[in-house]
Amino acid sequence: MPRKFEHMEPHRQLHAFLCTMPQTILITGATSGFGESTAQRFASEGWRVIITGRRKERLAVLQRELEGLYGSIDAHDKVHALHFDVRDASAVEQAIGGLPEAWQRIDVLVNNAGLAAGLDPIQTGDTGDWERMIDTNVKGLLYVSRAIIPGMIARGKGHIINIGSTAGKEVYPKGNVYCASKHAVDALSKGMRQDLLPHGIKVTQICPGLAETEFSLVRFGGDEAKAKAPYAGIEPLRGADIANLVHFAATLPAHVCINDLVVTPTAQASSMLVHRAG
């Protein structure tokens, strides 16, 4: 223990020492969009960052990029990558349970992994798309949270930030199952906040509106023309906008918690009301 803590009792020494350590954030779905921007934002502020994703090559590229932001010889101790799919409960448990001891103290969890697949009326929806959305957006969030929450409870502190959507506040035509999955995130965020209240753990939900990331490209199966259409004539949100809000929420004083934050482009008033130039 550093000399400046020697005058304290052992348990106070440990607490004081831990408080001086850089905080650690774990971000799911970090290889693109909000997750990637959030990893960049926190790495640029000197946080220790755990990035997770199912695309191993992209994880490796992002890890090198983030390490470059620290500009120090110990940059490899600042970024840790975990390769798994949040839909696989066993893989989640194995990856998070197998974290090296130095990385087990996770201060902030960002449940970002999520997607929309298809845009069909309920009567012709693809059941494979339904399962993919529910397994990722709902069950994946639960699996990761379940693996990390016990450590937060043991330490009596922590912060869970769930990336929801305006689709979790109102349903739009042909959004059916995607909207249902994000309504579930809204309900789970409220439930987490209630269950974890006695343990001093913050729970925040951030719900973006129209944001140009890979979201629409995934929804429309790689069709770039269809993917660009929702953002025509407006300035949409970007990954960096949401990353800045995640950072703001995560760095507020210990007694302050943003419970629920809905954010849209200035040109968007609701899921169906968008003012487009021209």
Short mmCIF file of all heavy atoms in Angstrom, two decimals, residues 44-99:
data_model
loop_
_atom_site.label_atom_id
_atom_site.label_comp_id
_atom_site.label_asym_id
_atom_site.label_seq_id
_atom_site.Cartn_x
_atom_site.Cartn_y
_atom_site.Cartn_z
N SER A 44 -10.33 8.20 -23.59
CA SER A 44 -9.70 9.52 -23.71
C SER A 44 -9.66 10.25 -22.37
O SER A 44 -8.87 11.17 -22.18
CB SER A 44 -10.44 10.38 -24.74
OG SER A 44 -11.73 10.75 -24.27
N GLU A 45 -10.52 9.81 -21.41
CA GLU A 45 -10.54 10.41 -20.08
C GLU A 45 -9.71 9.62 -19.08
O GLU A 45 -9.71 9.93 -17.88
CB GLU A 45 -11.99 10.50 -19.58
CG GLU A 45 -12.89 11.41 -20.39
CD GLU A 45 -12.54 12.88 -20.23
OE1 GLU A 45 -11.92 13.24 -19.21
OE2 GLU A 45 -12.88 13.67 -21.13
N GLY A 46 -9.03 8.57 -19.55
CA GLY A 46 -8.14 7.82 -18.68
C GLY A 46 -8.77 6.67 -17.92
O GLY A 46 -8.13 6.06 -17.07
N TRP A 47 -10.04 6.37 -18.20
CA TRP A 47 -10.68 5.23 -17.56
C TRP A 47 -10.08 3.92 -18.06
O TRP A 47 -9.55 3.85 -19.18
CB TRP A 47 -12.18 5.21 -17.86
CG TRP A 47 -13.00 6.21 -17.09
CD1 TRP A 47 -12.81 7.55 -17.01
CD2 TRP A 47 -14.17 5.93 -16.32
NE1 TRP A 47 -13.79 8.13 -16.24
CE2 TRP A 47 -14.64 7.15 -15.80
CE3 TRP A 47 -14.88 4.77 -16.03
CZ2 TRP A 47 -15.77 7.25 -15.00
CZ3 TRP A 47 -16.01 4.85 -15.24
CH2 TRP A 47 -16.45 6.09 -14.72
N ARG A 48 -10.17 2.88 -17.26
CA ARG A 48 -9.85 1.53 -17.71
C ARG A 48 -11.10 0.99 -18.40
O ARG A 48 -12.19 1.07 -17.84
CB ARG A 48 -9.43 0.65 -16.54
CG ARG A 48 -8.23 1.21 -15.79
CD ARG A 48 -8.00 0.49 -14.47
NE ARG A 48 -7.31 -0.78 -14.67
CZ ARG A 48 -7.79 -1.98 -14.34
NH1 ARG A 48 -8.99 -2.09 -13.80
NH2 ARG A 48 -7.08 -3.06 -14.52
N VAL A 49 -10.93 0.47 -19.60
CA VAL A 49 -12.08 0.12 -20.43
C VAL A 49 -12.05 -1.37 -20.80
O VAL A 49 -11.04 -1.88 -21.29
CB VAL A 49 -12.09 0.96 -21.73
CG1 VAL A 49 -13.28 0.58 -22.60
CG2 VAL A 49 -12.12 2.45 -21.40
N ILE A 50 -13.17 -2.05 -20.52
CA ILE A 50 -13.36 -3.42 -20.97
C ILE A 50 -14.34 -3.36 -22.14
O ILE A 50 -15.47 -2.90 -21.98
CB ILE A 50 -13.93 -4.32 -19.87
CG1 ILE A 50 -13.00 -4.35 -18.66
CG2 ILE A 50 -14.12 -5.76 -20.41
CD1 ILE A 50 -13.57 -5.10 -17.46
N ILE A 51 -13.88 -3.77 -23.32
CA ILE A 51 -14.73 -3.77 -24.50
C ILE A 51 -15.16 -5.19 -24.81
O ILE A 51 -14.39 -6.13 -24.69
CB ILE A 51 -14.02 -3.15 -25.72
CG1 ILE A 51 -12.65 -3.79 -25.95
CG2 ILE A 51 -13.89 -1.64 -25.53
CD1 ILE A 51 -11.95 -3.32 -27.21
N THR A 52 -16.43 -5.37 -25.16
CA THR A 52 -16.92 -6.70 -25.50
C THR A 52 -17.63 -6.65 -26.84
O THR A 52 -18.17 -5.62 -27.24
CB THR A 52 -17.88 -7.26 -24.42
OG1 THR A 52 -19.21 -6.77 -24.67
CG2 THR A 52 -17.44 -6.87 -23.03
N GLY A 53 -17.64 -7.79 -27.50
CA GLY A 53 -18.32 -7.88 -28.78
C GLY A 53 -18.18 -9.26 -29.36
O GLY A 53 -17.37 -10.07 -28.91
N ARG A 54 -18.95 -9.53 -30.40
CA ARG A 54 -18.90 -10.85 -31.03
C ARG A 54 -18.02 -10.87 -32.27
O ARG A 54 -17.77 -11.93 -32.84
CB ARG A 54 -20.32 -11.32 -31.38
CG ARG A 54 -21.07 -10.36 -32.25
CD ARG A 54 -22.52 -10.80 -32.48
NE ARG A 54 -23.26 -9.79 -33.24
CZ ARG A 54 -23.17 -9.63 -34.55
NH1 ARG A 54 -22.38 -10.42 -35.26
NH2 ARG A 54 -23.87 -8.68 -35.15
N ARG A 55 -17.55 -9.67 -32.71
CA ARG A 55 -16.69 -9.60 -33.90
C ARG A 55 -15.24 -9.44 -33.46
O ARG A 55 -14.79 -8.34 -33.14
CB ARG A 55 -17.15 -8.45 -34.80
CG ARG A 55 -18.53 -8.71 -35.40
CD ARG A 55 -19.04 -7.56 -36.24
NE ARG A 55 -19.46 -6.43 -35.44
CZ ARG A 55 -20.14 -5.39 -35.92
NH1 ARG A 55 -20.47 -5.35 -37.20
NH2 ARG A 55 -20.48 -4.38 -35.14
N LYS A 56 -14.53 -10.55 -33.44
CA LYS A 56 -13.21 -10.61 -32.85
C LYS A 56 -12.22 -9.68 -33.54
O LYS A 56 -11.41 -9.01 -32.88
CB LYS A 56 -12.68 -12.05 -32.91
CG LYS A 56 -11.46 -12.31 -32.05
CD LYS A 56 -11.15 -13.79 -31.98
CE LYS A 56 -10.00 -14.06 -31.00
NZ LYS A 56 -9.74 -15.53 -30.91
N GLU A 57 -12.25 -9.61 -34.86
CA GLU A 57 -11.31 -8.76 -35.58
C GLU A 57 -11.53 -7.29 -35.25
O GLU A 57 -10.59 -6.53 -35.04
CB GLU A 57 -11.45 -8.98 -37.10
CG GLU A 57 -11.10 -10.39 -37.56
CD GLU A 57 -12.22 -11.40 -37.29
OE1 GLU A 57 -13.35 -10.97 -36.93
OE2 GLU A 57 -11.95 -12.61 -37.43
N ARG A 58 -12.80 -6.88 -35.18
CA ARG A 58 -13.10 -5.49 -34.84
C ARG A 58 -12.68 -5.17 -33.40
O ARG A 58 -12.22 -4.06 -33.12
CB ARG A 58 -14.59 -5.21 -35.02
CG ARG A 58 -15.02 -5.06 -36.45
CD ARG A 58 -16.30 -4.24 -36.49
NE ARG A 58 -16.82 -4.11 -37.84
CZ ARG A 58 -17.83 -3.30 -38.16
NH1 ARG A 58 -18.39 -2.56 -37.22
NH2 ARG A 58 -18.26 -3.22 -39.39
N LEU A 59 -12.85 -6.13 -32.52
CA LEU A 59 -12.42 -5.92 -31.14
C LEU A 59 -10.92 -5.64 -31.08
O LEU A 59 -10.47 -4.75 -30.36
CB LEU A 59 -12.74 -7.16 -30.29
CG LEU A 59 -14.06 -7.23 -29.54
CD1 LEU A 59 -14.15 -8.55 -28.80
CD2 LEU A 59 -14.24 -6.06 -28.58
N ALA A 60 -10.15 -6.42 -31.83
CA ALA A 60 -8.69 -6.26 -31.82
C ALA A 60 -8.30 -4.90 -32.37
O ALA A 60 -7.40 -4.22 -31.82
CB ALA A 60 -8.05 -7.38 -32.64
N VAL A 61 -8.96 -4.47 -33.42
CA VAL A 61 -8.66 -3.15 -34.01
C VAL A 61 -8.99 -2.05 -33.01
O VAL A 61 -8.20 -1.10 -32.81
CB VAL A 61 -9.46 -2.95 -35.32
CG1 VAL A 61 -9.33 -1.50 -35.79
CG2 VAL A 61 -8.94 -3.89 -36.40
N LEU A 62 -10.16 -2.15 -32.37
CA LEU A 62 -10.57 -1.13 -31.41
C LEU A 62 -9.64 -1.12 -30.21
O LEU A 62 -9.29 -0.04 -29.69
CB LEU A 62 -12.01 -1.39 -30.95
CG LEU A 62 -12.57 -0.40 -29.92
CD1 LEU A 62 -12.55 1.03 -30.45
CD2 LEU A 62 -14.00 -0.80 -29.51
N GLN A 63 -9.22 -2.28 -29.75
CA GLN A 63 -8.30 -2.34 -28.61
C GLN A 63 -7.02 -1.58 -28.91
O GLN A 63 -6.54 -0.79 -28.10
CB GLN A 63 -7.99 -3.78 -28.24
CG GLN A 63 -7.07 -3.89 -27.02
CD GLN A 63 -6.91 -5.32 -26.53
OE1 GLN A 63 -7.35 -6.27 -27.19
NE2 GLN A 63 -6.30 -5.50 -25.37
N ARG A 64 -6.46 -1.79 -30.09
CA ARG A 64 -5.22 -1.07 -30.47
C ARG A 64 -5.47 0.43 -30.55
O ARG A 64 -4.63 1.23 -30.12
CB ARG A 64 -4.69 -1.61 -31.80
CG ARG A 64 -4.13 -3.03 -31.72
CD ARG A 64 -3.35 -3.38 -32.96
NE ARG A 64 -4.19 -3.42 -34.15
CZ ARG A 64 -4.84 -4.50 -34.58
NH1 ARG A 64 -4.74 -5.63 -33.90
NH2 ARG A 64 -5.56 -4.46 -35.69
N GLU A 65 -6.62 0.80 -31.10
CA GLU A 65 -6.94 2.22 -31.21
C GLU A 65 -7.06 2.87 -29.83
O GLU A 65 -6.52 3.96 -29.59
CB GLU A 65 -8.25 2.40 -31.97
CG GLU A 65 -8.70 3.86 -32.07
CD GLU A 65 -10.12 4.01 -32.60
OE1 GLU A 65 -10.61 3.07 -33.27
OE2 GLU A 65 -10.73 5.06 -32.35
N LEU A 66 -7.75 2.20 -28.92
CA LEU A 66 -7.93 2.75 -27.59
C LEU A 66 -6.62 2.84 -26.84
O LEU A 66 -6.35 3.82 -26.14
CB LEU A 66 -8.93 1.90 -26.80
CG LEU A 66 -10.37 1.85 -27.34
CD1 LEU A 66 -11.22 0.94 -26.47
CD2 LEU A 66 -10.98 3.25 -27.41
N GLU A 67 -5.79 1.82 -26.96
CA GLU A 67 -4.48 1.85 -26.30
C GLU A 67 -3.66 3.03 -26.77
O GLU A 67 -2.90 3.64 -26.00
CB GLU A 67 -3.75 0.54 -26.55
CG GLU A 67 -4.35 -0.64 -25.79
CD GLU A 67 -3.71 -1.97 -26.13
OE1 GLU A 67 -2.99 -2.03 -27.15
OE2 GLU A 67 -3.94 -2.95 -25.39
N GLY A 68 -3.84 3.41 -28.03
CA GLY A 68 -3.12 4.56 -28.56
C GLY A 68 -3.55 5.88 -27.95
O GLY A 68 -2.79 6.86 -27.97
N LEU A 69 -4.77 5.91 -27.37
CA LEU A 69 -5.26 7.15 -26.76
C LEU A 69 -4.57 7.46 -25.44
O LEU A 69 -4.58 8.60 -24.99
CB LEU A 69 -6.77 7.06 -26.54
CG LEU A 69 -7.65 6.98 -27.79
CD1 LEU A 69 -9.11 6.78 -27.41
CD2 LEU A 69 -7.49 8.24 -28.63
N TYR A 70 -3.99 6.43 -24.80
CA TYR A 70 -3.37 6.64 -23.49
C TYR A 70 -1.97 7.21 -23.61
O TYR A 70 -1.50 7.91 -22.73
CB TYR A 70 -3.34 5.33 -22.69
CG TYR A 70 -4.71 4.86 -22.29
CD1 TYR A 70 -5.39 3.92 -23.07
CD2 TYR A 70 -5.36 5.35 -21.17
CE1 TYR A 70 -6.66 3.48 -22.72
CE2 TYR A 70 -6.62 4.91 -20.81
CZ TYR A 70 -7.27 3.98 -21.59
OH TYR A 70 -8.52 3.56 -21.26
N GLY A 71 -1.29 6.87 -24.69
CA GLY A 71 0.05 7.42 -24.92
C GLY A 71 1.04 7.09 -23.84
O GLY A 71 1.89 7.91 -23.49
N SER A 72 0.95 5.90 -23.25
CA SER A 72 1.89 5.53 -22.20
C SER A 72 2.31 4.08 -22.39
O SER A 72 1.64 3.30 -23.08
CB SER A 72 1.26 5.70 -20.81
OG SER A 72 0.13 4.85 -20.67
N ILE A 73 3.40 3.70 -21.77
CA ILE A 73 3.93 2.36 -21.96
C ILE A 73 3.05 1.30 -21.29
O ILE A 73 3.15 0.13 -21.60
CB ILE A 73 5.37 2.25 -21.42
CG1 ILE A 73 5.41 2.61 -19.92
CG2 ILE A 73 6.31 3.11 -22.21
CD1 ILE A 73 6.79 2.39 -19.29
N ASP A 74 2.20 1.73 -20.37
CA ASP A 74 1.34 0.76 -19.69
C ASP A 74 -0.07 0.77 -20.28
O ASP A 74 -1.03 0.36 -19.63
CB ASP A 74 1.28 1.03 -18.19
CG ASP A 74 0.69 2.41 -17.86
OD1 ASP A 74 0.61 3.25 -18.78
OD2 ASP A 74 0.30 2.62 -16.71
N ALA A 75 -0.20 1.21 -21.53
CA ALA A 75 -1.52 1.30 -22.16
C ALA A 75 -2.20 -0.05 -22.23
O ALA A 75 -3.43 -0.15 -22.20
CB ALA A 75 -1.41 1.91 -23.55
N HIS A 76 -1.42 -1.14 -22.31
CA HIS A 76 -2.02 -2.46 -22.39
C HIS A 76 -2.74 -2.84 -21.10
O HIS A 76 -3.55 -3.76 -21.08
CB HIS A 76 -0.95 -3.53 -22.71
CG HIS A 76 0.09 -3.67 -21.64
ND1 HIS A 76 1.14 -2.79 -21.51
CD2 HIS A 76 0.23 -4.59 -20.65
CE1 HIS A 76 1.89 -3.17 -20.48
NE2 HIS A 76 1.37 -4.25 -19.95
N ASP A 77 -2.46 -2.11 -20.02
CA ASP A 77 -3.15 -2.35 -18.75
C ASP A 77 -4.42 -1.52 -18.63
O ASP A 77 -5.11 -1.59 -17.61
CB ASP A 77 -2.23 -2.02 -17.58
CG ASP A 77 -1.05 -2.97 -17.48
OD1 ASP A 77 -1.22 -4.15 -17.83
OD2 ASP A 77 0.03 -2.54 -17.07
N LYS A 78 -4.73 -0.74 -19.66
CA LYS A 78 -5.89 0.16 -19.62
C LYS A 78 -7.08 -0.37 -20.42
O LYS A 78 -8.21 0.09 -20.23
CB LYS A 78 -5.49 1.53 -20.17
CG LYS A 78 -4.34 2.22 -19.46
CD LYS A 78 -4.71 2.64 -18.05
CE LYS A 78 -3.59 3.48 -17.43
NZ LYS A 78 -3.93 3.88 -16.05
N VAL A 79 -6.83 -1.30 -21.33
CA VAL A 79 -7.89 -1.80 -22.20
C VAL A 79 -7.88 -3.33 -22.17
O VAL A 79 -6.83 -3.95 -22.32
CB VAL A 79 -7.73 -1.33 -23.65
CG1 VAL A 79 -8.93 -1.78 -24.50
CG2 VAL A 79 -7.57 0.18 -23.72
N HIS A 80 -9.05 -3.91 -21.95
CA HIS A 80 -9.17 -5.37 -21.94
C HIS A 80 -10.33 -5.75 -22.84
O HIS A 80 -11.42 -5.16 -22.75
CB HIS A 80 -9.43 -5.86 -20.51
CG HIS A 80 -9.33 -7.35 -20.36
ND1 HIS A 80 -8.13 -8.00 -20.24
CD2 HIS A 80 -10.29 -8.30 -20.31
CE1 HIS A 80 -8.34 -9.31 -20.11
NE2 HIS A 80 -9.64 -9.51 -20.16
N ALA A 81 -10.12 -6.71 -23.73
CA ALA A 81 -11.16 -7.12 -24.68
C ALA A 81 -11.71 -8.49 -24.32
O ALA A 81 -10.95 -9.41 -23.99
CB ALA A 81 -10.60 -7.14 -26.09
N LEU A 82 -13.04 -8.62 -24.39
CA LEU A 82 -13.71 -9.89 -24.16
C LEU A 82 -14.53 -10.23 -25.40
O LEU A 82 -15.42 -9.45 -25.79
CB LEU A 82 -14.64 -9.82 -22.94
CG LEU A 82 -13.99 -9.67 -21.56
CD1 LEU A 82 -15.07 -9.56 -20.50
CD2 LEU A 82 -13.06 -10.84 -21.25
N HIS A 83 -14.26 -11.38 -25.97
CA HIS A 83 -14.95 -11.80 -27.19
C HIS A 83 -16.05 -12.79 -26.84
O HIS A 83 -15.78 -13.93 -26.44
CB HIS A 83 -13.94 -12.44 -28.16
CG HIS A 83 -14.57 -13.03 -29.38
ND1 HIS A 83 -14.36 -14.32 -29.79
CD2 HIS A 83 -15.43 -12.49 -30.26
CE1 HIS A 83 -15.04 -14.56 -30.88
NE2 HIS A 83 -15.71 -13.47 -31.19
N PHE A 84 -17.30 -12.35 -26.92
CA PHE A 84 -18.44 -13.25 -26.71
C PHE A 84 -19.70 -12.61 -27.29
O PHE A 84 -19.74 -11.41 -27.58
CB PHE A 84 -18.64 -13.59 -25.23
CG PHE A 84 -18.97 -12.41 -24.36
CD1 PHE A 84 -20.28 -11.95 -24.22
CD2 PHE A 84 -17.98 -11.77 -23.63
CE1 PHE A 84 -20.58 -10.87 -23.40
CE2 PHE A 84 -18.27 -10.69 -22.81
CZ PHE A 84 -19.58 -10.24 -22.70
N ASP A 85 -20.72 -13.44 -27.45
CA ASP A 85 -22.03 -12.99 -27.92
C ASP A 85 -22.93 -12.92 -26.69
O ASP A 85 -23.09 -13.91 -25.97
CB ASP A 85 -22.58 -13.99 -28.94
CG ASP A 85 -23.85 -13.51 -29.63
OD1 ASP A 85 -24.62 -12.75 -29.01
OD2 ASP A 85 -24.07 -13.91 -30.78
N VAL A 86 -23.55 -11.78 -26.45
CA VAL A 86 -24.38 -11.62 -25.25
C VAL A 86 -25.56 -12.58 -25.23
O VAL A 86 -26.16 -12.81 -24.17
CB VAL A 86 -24.89 -10.16 -25.09
CG1 VAL A 86 -23.74 -9.19 -24.91
CG2 VAL A 86 -25.79 -9.76 -26.26
N ARG A 87 -25.90 -13.15 -26.37
CA ARG A 87 -27.04 -14.09 -26.43
C ARG A 87 -26.70 -15.45 -25.82
O ARG A 87 -27.59 -16.24 -25.54
CB ARG A 87 -27.48 -14.28 -27.88
CG ARG A 87 -28.04 -13.03 -28.53
CD ARG A 87 -28.36 -13.26 -29.99
NE ARG A 87 -27.16 -13.53 -30.78
CZ ARG A 87 -27.18 -13.81 -32.08
NH1 ARG A 87 -28.34 -13.87 -32.74
NH2 ARG A 87 -26.05 -14.03 -32.74
N ASP A 88 -25.42 -15.70 -25.63
CA ASP A 88 -24.95 -16.99 -25.14
C ASP A 88 -24.66 -16.86 -23.64
O ASP A 88 -23.63 -16.35 -23.23
CB ASP A 88 -23.68 -17.39 -25.90
CG ASP A 88 -23.19 -18.78 -25.55
OD1 ASP A 88 -23.47 -19.26 -24.43
OD2 ASP A 88 -22.48 -19.38 -26.39
N ALA A 89 -25.60 -17.35 -22.82
CA ALA A 89 -25.48 -17.19 -21.37
C ALA A 89 -24.20 -17.82 -20.83
O ALA A 89 -23.53 -17.24 -19.96
CB ALA A 89 -26.69 -17.80 -20.67
N SER A 90 -23.84 -18.98 -21.32
CA SER A 90 -22.63 -19.66 -20.84
C SER A 90 -21.38 -18.88 -21.21
O SER A 90 -20.45 -18.76 -20.40
CB SER A 90 -22.55 -21.08 -21.43
OG SER A 90 -23.62 -21.87 -20.98
N ALA A 91 -21.35 -18.34 -22.42
CA ALA A 91 -20.20 -17.56 -22.86
C ALA A 91 -20.05 -16.29 -22.03
O ALA A 91 -18.94 -15.88 -21.68
CB ALA A 91 -20.32 -17.22 -24.35
N VAL A 92 -21.18 -15.65 -21.72
CA VAL A 92 -21.16 -14.45 -20.89
C VAL A 92 -20.58 -14.77 -19.51
O VAL A 92 -19.68 -14.08 -19.01
CB VAL A 92 -22.58 -13.85 -20.75
CG1 VAL A 92 -22.59 -12.75 -19.68
CG2 VAL A 92 -23.07 -13.31 -22.08
N GLU A 93 -21.11 -15.82 -18.91
CA GLU A 93 -20.67 -16.20 -17.57
C GLU A 93 -19.19 -16.57 -17.56
O GLU A 93 -18.44 -16.18 -16.65
CB GLU A 93 -21.50 -17.38 -17.08
CG GLU A 93 -21.20 -17.79 -15.65
CD GLU A 93 -22.10 -18.90 -15.16
OE1 GLU A 93 -23.05 -19.27 -15.88
OE2 GLU A 93 -21.86 -19.42 -14.05
N GLN A 94 -18.75 -17.29 -18.57
CA GLN A 94 -17.36 -17.72 -18.63
C GLN A 94 -16.42 -16.53 -18.84
O GLN A 94 -15.38 -16.43 -18.18
CB GLN A 94 -17.16 -18.72 -19.77
CG GLN A 94 -15.75 -19.28 -19.88
CD GLN A 94 -15.62 -20.34 -20.96
OE1 GLN A 94 -16.60 -20.70 -21.61
NE2 GLN A 94 -14.42 -20.84 -21.16
N ALA A 95 -16.79 -15.61 -19.74
CA ALA A 95 -15.93 -14.47 -20.04
C ALA A 95 -15.81 -13.52 -18.86
O ALA A 95 -14.71 -13.12 -18.47
CB ALA A 95 -16.46 -13.73 -21.27
N ILE A 96 -16.94 -13.16 -18.26
CA ILE A 96 -16.92 -12.21 -17.16
C ILE A 96 -16.39 -12.87 -15.88
O ILE A 96 -15.62 -12.28 -15.13
CB ILE A 96 -18.31 -11.59 -16.96
CG1 ILE A 96 -18.67 -10.74 -18.20
CG2 ILE A 96 -18.35 -10.72 -15.70
CD1 ILE A 96 -20.05 -10.16 -18.19
N GLY A 97 -16.78 -14.12 -15.67
CA GLY A 97 -16.29 -14.85 -14.50
C GLY A 97 -14.81 -15.13 -14.58
O GLY A 97 -14.15 -15.32 -13.55
N GLY A 98 -14.27 -15.15 -15.79
CA GLY A 98 -12.85 -15.43 -15.96
C GLY A 98 -11.97 -14.21 -16.09
O GLY A 98 -10.78 -14.32 -16.45
N LEU A 99 -12.52 -13.04 -15.80
CA LEU A 99 -11.71 -11.82 -15.87
C LEU A 99 -10.53 -11.92 -14.90
O LEU A 99 -10.68 -12.39 -13.76
CB LEU A 99 -12.54 -10.59 -15.51
CG LEU A 99 -13.40 -9.97 -16.62
CD1 LEU A 99 -14.38 -8.97 -16.01
CD2 LEU A 99 -12.52 -9.29 -17.66
#
